[in-house]
Amino acid sequence: MIRKFTHRDMRRILEIESNSFPKSTYDRFAFFYLSRLYHFLVYKDEKILAYIIFDERNGHIASIAVDPLHRRKGIGRKLVEEVLKNCGRAWVEVRVSNKIAQAFYEALGFIDIGVVPNYYGDEDAHVMVRSR
Ligand SMILES: CC(C)(COP(=O)(O)OP(=O)(O)OC[C@H]1O[C@@H](n2cnc3c(N)ncnc32)[C@H](O)[C@@H]1OP(=O)(O)O)[C@@H](O)C(=O)NCCC(=O)NCCS
């Protein structure tokens, strides 16, 4: 089931986060801040398996991560479909080194519209977009 994030989900979100982004991990304060600013959804089975954070005004995906033990089961796709359902479009920056995320967004019909140099400070980003 996909539902809104609540603060009780924080411990699992932090686990998924540290397993997904070991080099640039958001902490609880970052998630608290993001939960105030953006639409924050979690995918829950017996426990929380994934999350997505996006800006409802324009479809910008701020972050998405799936528990490594539950990848390639279509969970990421379902979460991005929520963005498309809510916003009619979606767009995201992806580290040039993150080939898996690029393959994921390509599989979902996103198009690479260019590179932002030094977007991450230490790395460039592809900008990938998709309309419904
Ligand atoms: C990117 C991520 C969210 C994908 O989530 P997921 O639930 O595994 O993705 P799905 O199962 O919905 O995959 C949908 C399609 O994307 C493509 N895809 C997903 N993972 C892939 C991989 N490792 N290699 C190649 N293609 C992949 C496939 O076409 C897949 O369809 P298929 O499994 O039927 O072949 C997940 O790998 C993740 O959390 N990565 C770490 C965090 C991250 O990089 N987030 C993105 C930051 S921009």
Side-chain angles (χ1 to χ4, degrees):
M1 124 216 289
I2 294 174
R3 64 154 170 78
K4 280 193 175 178
F5 165 84
T6 76
H7 292 282
R8 282 195 296 274
D9 303 328
M10 188 66 92
R11 192 185 56 78
R12 271 298 288 157
I13 295 297
L14 292 171
E15 270 174 23
I16 294 167
E17 177 73 5
S18 60
N19 289 328
S20 298
F21 300 105
K23 282 196 299 186
S24 55
T25 315
Y26 287 152
D27 62 15
R28 65 176 59 246
F29 301 104
F31 280 113
F32 179 71
Y33 179 69
L34 289 166
S35 73
R36 303 297 293 263
L37 277 183
Y38 297 123
H39 211 55
F40 190 164
L41 299 177
V42 298
Y43 183 98
K44 186 167 186 286
D45 204 341
E46 278 153 29
K47 58 181 182 173
I48 306 281
L49 300 181
Y51 76 82
I52 191 165
I53 300 170
F54 64 98
D55 187 338
E56 257 189 318
R57 292 164 303 180
N58 58 24
H60 179 233
I61 298 173
S63 193
I64 177 173
V66 178
D67 181 330
L69 298 175
H70 294 273
R71 290 184 186 160
R72 298 304 289 266
K73 295 179 176 177
I75 296 174
R77 181 189 292 273
K78 287 197 181 96
L79 288 172
V80 170
E81 279 167 1
E82 288 295 316
V83 183
L84 293 166
K85 213 159 66 187
N86 274 271
C87 308
R89 61 181 166 154
W91 61 282
V92 64
E93 297 89 3
V94 187
R95 283 182 182 271
V96 291
S97 61
N98 193 347
K99 301 296 177 202
I100 289 178
Q102 288 159 43
F104 168 69
Y105 290 116
E106 272 164 25
L108 269 57
F110 284 64
I111 293 167
D112 185 347
I113 60 162
V115 168
V116 184
N118 295 317
Y119 179 80
Y120 293 100
D122 58 346
E123 194 173 339
D124 301 349
H126 290 284
V127 179
M128 303 189 69
V129 302
R130 178 174 159 186
S131 305
R132 186 154 52 189

